[in-house]
Amino acid sequence: MISILSQLDANGLLKGKRTSRLYEEAAASLRRTWRNAKDSVEQIHKFQEEDGIEIQEYTTTGRTDFSPSMDEQITFTKQCDGAGDIIYLNPLVMIPFKEAPFTAAERTLPVEFPYKQQITINSVITLPEGYAVEEMPKPIMLKFDGINVRIGSTISENQLNTQLKFTLSKTFYTQTEYQDLKSLFDRLTECNKNIITIKKAE
């Protein structure tokens, strides 16, 4: 469960906070990342490079606990591209699916995911005064056996709200299902890169 609250200024600078609640395998994965890290400075630098952000403050709760969950909080800034009175913005802010996981054209063995998972991201971006979204993106729904994806954005006054929900409820896919599986993740990766244009009202 990820919540991102951020504010965009007229220069295209996003300032915000991401709060994540991780459960079970996701929590274990982040704990493992920190256990294997050389030091905190290097690890935070990796986080910055992965998401294209500058981290002002990073904290975790339950990182060393033996519990099924942990929390992560990141205070950040991110510079968006722009020109003149136009700002180009990814409404998810930090892209969860950056690269398609399946690159081979064919597969001779089944695909087995390590565990079932669900990712929910809620991103709220406050736009600068006098700016508006040029064109709202259409809702995206992707579905394949055991996989559901929904991505949608709405605008309320000067706030852009975007939600991504990814559910994987099946872990084993035969090689005959590979092409459909690959196609879904290719599409999901492309959708995660969608850019919204923010433009100053005339």
Side-chain angles (χ1 to χ4, degrees), residues 24-185:
E24 299 176 353
E25 282 85 357
S29 177
L30 184 57
R31 288 185 177 115
R32 190 161 50 249
T33 294
W34 276 107
R35 280 199 306 272
N36 296 334
K38 179 181 177 182
D39 55 52
S40 60
V41 173
E42 183 178 282
Q43 187 56 51
I44 287 174
H45 181 69
K46 286 182 180 178
F47 288 152
Q48 290 184 141
E49 287 190 329
E50 287 172 3
D51 290 312
I53 60 174
E54 290 289 333
I55 294 176
Q56 269 70 54
E57 186 177 357
Y58 181 96
T59 59
T60 59
T61 304
R63 192 167 90 192
T64 58
D65 296 347
F66 187 74
S67 71
S69 67
M70 71 174 287
D71 295 333
E72 178 189 57
Q73 300 85 31
I74 299 175
T75 302
F76 69 91
T77 60
K78 181 173 184 175
Q79 184 63 52
C80 303
D81 293 330
D85 293 331
I86 296 176
I87 301 168
Y88 302 105
L89 171 73
N90 186 310
L92 292 170
V93 183
M94 302 180 200
I95 304 171
F97 297 92
K98 298 178 181 66
E99 296 181 2
F102 305 109
T103 56
E106 303 289 339
R107 189 176 177 98
T108 57
L109 295 173
V111 174
E112 188 169 4
F113 291 93
Y115 47 81
K116 298 176 183 179
Q117 53 188 296
Q118 184 176 89
I119 301 169
T120 301
I121 300 173
N122 290 296
S123 171
V124 179
I125 300 172
T126 301
L127 304 181
E129 187 175 350
Y131 281 72
V133 177
E134 187 172 55
E135 184 178 355
M136 289 295 294
K138 295 178 181 178
I140 295 166
M141 294 188 71
L142 307 174
K143 191 172 183 178
F144 181 57
D145 184 22
I147 305 175
N148 285 281
V149 182
R150 292 202 316 267
I151 307 173
S153 296
T154 59
I155 191 83
S156 177
E157 296 182 352
N158 67 330
Q159 288 191 327
L160 175 62
N161 302 275
T162 302
Q163 184 183 74
L164 177 147
K165 190 165 186 178
F166 169 88
T167 303
L168 174 68
S169 58
K170 178 182 171 181
T171 59
F172 186 86
Y173 294 87
T174 66
Q175 52 268 51
T176 59
E177 297 174 296
Y178 175 71
Q179 292 301 331
D180 289 329
L181 189 66
K182 181 179 183 301
S183 177
L184 183 141
F185 275 93

